[in-house]
Amino acid sequence: MAENTFLALLDKEKPNIIAMLPQLNDWLTPDRWWSVAYDIAKSPALTEAAQKNPVSLINALKRIASWGLELDGQECFINVYAGEAVAQTMYKGLIRRAIEGGAIAHCVADIIKEGDQVEIVSSSRGRELIHRPAFGVSDGKRKIIGAYALFTLPNGLTDYELFELSDIEAVKAAAKRMNERKKPGAGLSPAWQFFEGEQCKKSVINRGLKRFRGRRDTKAGELFERVRTE
């Protein structure tokens, strides 16, 4: 009964949510976006959150719509903290907004594990980072000691952002403090507990993108700034 009540509320809020979706291209149609978001909103975890705090789920959907990202688990997702639904970007969503916003032309990120080698090069092509993984050592089950993001800029030059272990630990500590403000004693979020590598990639990309700015004369450039800072 509670689920039906929430779905009725969701249908009522549909026009307001769809109105926040930017029209940047022909393929991200309101119908396509809504069909994905509606199915996700009916998942067991979000249905339970909706019963306790339906407004938080509605607001999370509005935020994702305003970002112009798809709620597909690749570009962004909705997490639940202490019964509250929270919209969160993933690194693929950040990269997409940065490319479409004209800040970068391409980006790739990866983690660095114990035993890997990293070489830093500066040349007329820009700043470069070379990563040589210790492939096959300990079946890959080695501690994460760093992360990096490689950027190709619109002018063809290259740049990078590099995290050492101390940077990762600082980001994790900040994430833990933020999570415990919502629920004392909660510790790290499920995202950090189960997908540490992906969170490291997202964090190093996000810090690297702070150095770049999207085109100010386009909606996509404006959206890049919004997604990066929210």
Side-chain angles (χ1 to χ4, degrees):
M1 184 67 178
E3 179 181 354
N4 292 335
T5 300
F6 171 71
L7 292 179
L9 175 62
L10 190 59
D11 285 332
K12 181 179 178 181
E13 286 288 333
K14 178 180 178 179
N16 296 326
I17 297 172
I18 292 297
M20 304 188 75
L21 188 67
Q23 299 302 305
L24 298 177
N25 47 54
D26 294 332
W27 61 266
L28 186 59
T29 64
D31 287 342
R32 173 193 168 102
W33 188 92
W34 182 255
S35 64
V36 174
Y38 193 80
D39 285 342
I40 293 294
K42 293 190 295 182
S43 68
L46 293 185
T47 297
E48 182 179 352
Q51 293 174 8
K52 299 177 181 178
N53 193 343
V55 174
S56 73
L57 184 48
I58 295 296
N59 288 339
L61 288 169
K62 287 181 177 179
R63 171 164 282 190
I64 289 173
S66 73
W67 290 340
L69 297 177
E70 283 198 280
L71 187 57
D72 57 1
Q74 298 290 315
E75 296 185 346
C76 62
F77 68 109
I78 297 177
N79 216 332
V80 179
Y81 296 103
E84 180 180 356
V86 180
Q88 294 186 320
T89 56
M90 299 186 76
Y91 73 88
K92 290 182 180 180
L94 287 171
I95 291 172
R96 177 183 158 198
R97 287 273 69 89
I99 292 173
E100 292 186 357
I104 61 173
H106 184 62
C107 174
V108 62
D110 206 349
I111 55 174
I112 303 167
K113 295 185 177 182
E114 284 185 331
D116 292 1
Q117 295 181 5
V118 173
E119 180 181 351
I120 295 171
V121 179
S122 293
S123 70
S124 59
R125 297 186 300 271
R127 300 197 316 149
E128 300 175 273
L129 184 149
I130 300 171
H131 175 209
R132 296 185 175 89
F135 187 77
V137 176
S138 302
D139 294 328
K141 298 177 181 178
R142 292 171 283 120
K143 181 180 179 181
I144 295 174
I145 60 170
Y148 63 89
L150 304 178
F151 302 100
T152 302
L153 308 183
N155 61 7
L157 296 178
T158 58
D159 203 352
Y160 67 84
E161 186 68 34
L162 177 64
F163 268 16
E164 296 192 63
L165 181 58
S166 59
D167 297 305
I168 293 174
E169 294 301 327
V171 172
K172 287 172 68 175
K176 181 179 179 181
R177 288 194 300 271
M178 184 176 297
N179 198 32
E180 291 187 336
R181 288 196 193 105
K182 301 175 184 288
K183 185 178 180 181
L188 284 169
S189 68
W192 273 106
Q193 291 181 46
F194 302 112
F195 305 102
E196 182 179 13
E198 296 300 290
Q199 289 298 101
C200 288
K201 293 176 188 178
K202 175 183 174 181
S203 298
V204 74
I205 289 170
N206 199 22
R207 191 170 80 174
L209 288 177
K210 290 179 180 179
R211 299 202 305 274
F212 309 125
R213 183 156 192 162
R215 293 184 56 184
R216 302 185 189 185
D217 60 340
T218 65
K219 182 65 175 178
E222 176 189 328
L223 285 176
F224 164 62
E225 297 298 327
R226 182 186 304 168
V227 171
R228 185 180 61 78
T229 56
E230 286 189 357

